[in-house]
Amino acid sequence: SFTGSPVTLKILQNWVPRVSHHFDKEHYTYVGHQIVIQESIEHFGAVVWPGALALSQYLESNQEQFNLKDKKVLEIGAGTGLLSIVACILGAHVTATDLPEVLDNLSYNISRNTQNLNMHKPEVRKLVWGESLNEDFPVSTYHYDFILATDVVYHHAALDPLLATMVYFCKPGTVLLWANKFRFSTDYEFLEKVCNIFNTTILAEFPESNVKLLKATVRKN
């Protein structure tokens, strides 16, 4: 159910090594901007995972194919916000979403890295997969050009609500870009479900990191 053949890439060392006593801050460079990310060890969503690095790098390198300028972009499971910040630098109207307990750190990272840039002001919102989607993001008002998701699939119980959330936001004309480290059989089972629902292409593979980057769009009836 795939079309085309993926390119094989390597996640570049885009973070800047530094001598610092702040062990909780990571420095990255994308699209000519230094991005400082504060990680938090309390939550899964508060660490930068390889999928976010892979998709950030891919969007930076493929701006003609995926032009985010002035596009409406929703990131689900935004975590530390690195990818949303990169999308913002690339000119998108970004809405970064995650669970309530992650939002403080997410908001902090996004505001500190985008506040002095001449770009659309990003929005940070609560989104619990599969819950209150129609109330919080009514279809009549919210339509996104791109849905971004990185390392949202791992060994957790919310895979069905996650899939329902992807289906809810992926309307005709929307492109879902999903990068994930594939480790478990559940990851591949989820991939199979995505392929059964959407037109799915593997854009790139990062073999050293076990990351695959996929593009999915709604099937035309």
Side-chain angles (χ1 to χ4, degrees), residues 49 51-52 55 75-77 83 148-153 177-180:
W49 296 96
L55 187 47
E75 184 178 7
I76 57 175
L83 179 59
L148 307 181
T150 62
D151 287 315
V152 287
V153 176
L177 295 174
W178 166 42
N180 219 91

Side-chain angles (χ1 to χ4, degrees), residues 150-191:
T150 62
D151 287 315
V152 287
V153 176
Y154 48 93
H155 206 62
H156 61 73
L159 291 177
D160 287 342
L162 170 60
L163 188 60
T165 302
M166 289 175 165
V167 169
Y168 178 82
F169 284 112
C170 259
K171 301 286 181 265
T174 302
V175 173
L176 167 65
L177 295 174
W178 166 42
N180 219 91
K181 189 175 174 83
F182 280 78
R183 288 163 282 212
F184 310 113
S185 59
T186 44
D187 302 342
Y188 287 96
E189 286 160 20
F190 187 89
L191 173 59

